[in-house]
Amino acid sequence: MARTVADVMTRQPATVECDQPVSAAAALMREKDTGAVIVNEGGRMMGILTDRDIAVRVIADGRGPDTPVREACSAYVEAVCPDTSIEQAVRLMRSHAVRRLPVLEDGRTVGIVSLGDLAIERDPGSALADISAAEGNR
């Protein structure tokens, strides 16, 4: 059974630089079959951008696909280290109502752990685990 975030995280998550347009981030989400990308500034994480951020902060505001990622991402992000316990990651997700936690070492992203990753590990028979393990829709 997994004990730390490193045991269940997705390694080398999708990343974009903060000055790229949201259209590039959306294309990367499609290519990698993910709902979120890590936003970097000079190689260091400065935020996270989700598909929902694009819908709410760009499209719903009447902004276009050339909007810089930095203007649409969530800049304040809870993050963990690879040796963070699964229990602590669950507590952070609950207390901050987040679905994903970037995993950092020395300020650089080495992974990301999602609610689905934790469901697959802790409750493999749950609906969330089944949905999270299913092949993506393209």
Side-chain angles (χ1 to χ4, degrees), residues 32-49:
K32 300 290 186 180
D33 190 28
T34 186
V37 294
I38 302 295
V39 179
N40 289 330
E41 184 168 30
R44 291 187 130 5
M45 188 190 83
M46 61 94 39
I48 192 167
L49 180 75

Side-chain angles (χ1 to χ4, degrees), residues 25-108:
L28 184 61
M29 287 179 191
R30 179 182 60 202
E31 176 188 328
K32 300 290 186 180
D33 190 28
T34 186
V37 294
I38 302 295
V39 179
N40 289 330
E41 184 168 30
R44 291 187 130 5
M45 188 190 83
M46 61 94 39
I48 192 167
L49 180 75
T50 67
D51 45 10
R52 187 173 195 288
D53 292 330
I54 294 171
V56 172
R57 296 182 180 154
V58 178
I59 306 303
D61 280 349
R63 300 170 78 193
D66 293 332
T67 302
V69 168
R70 78 168 65 245
E71 294 178 18
C73 72
S74 297
Y76 178 75
V77 179
E78 288 297 318
V80 294
C81 299
D83 62 352
T84 301
S85 72
I86 298 291
E87 291 75 21
Q88 180 62 25
V90 169
R91 282 193 295 274
L92 277 171
M93 286 179 168
R94 277 189 177 137
S95 66
H96 295 282
V98 296
R99 294 174 177 89
R100 300 167 186 92
L101 294 169
V103 183
L104 306 179
E105 277 185 336
D106 300 321
R108 298 198 183 277

Side-chain angles (χ1 to χ4, degrees), residues 16-32:
V16 294
E17 283 294 317
C18 61
D19 57 349
Q20 288 185 275
V22 295
S23 59
L28 184 61
M29 287 179 191
R30 179 182 60 202
E31 176 188 328
K32 300 290 186 180

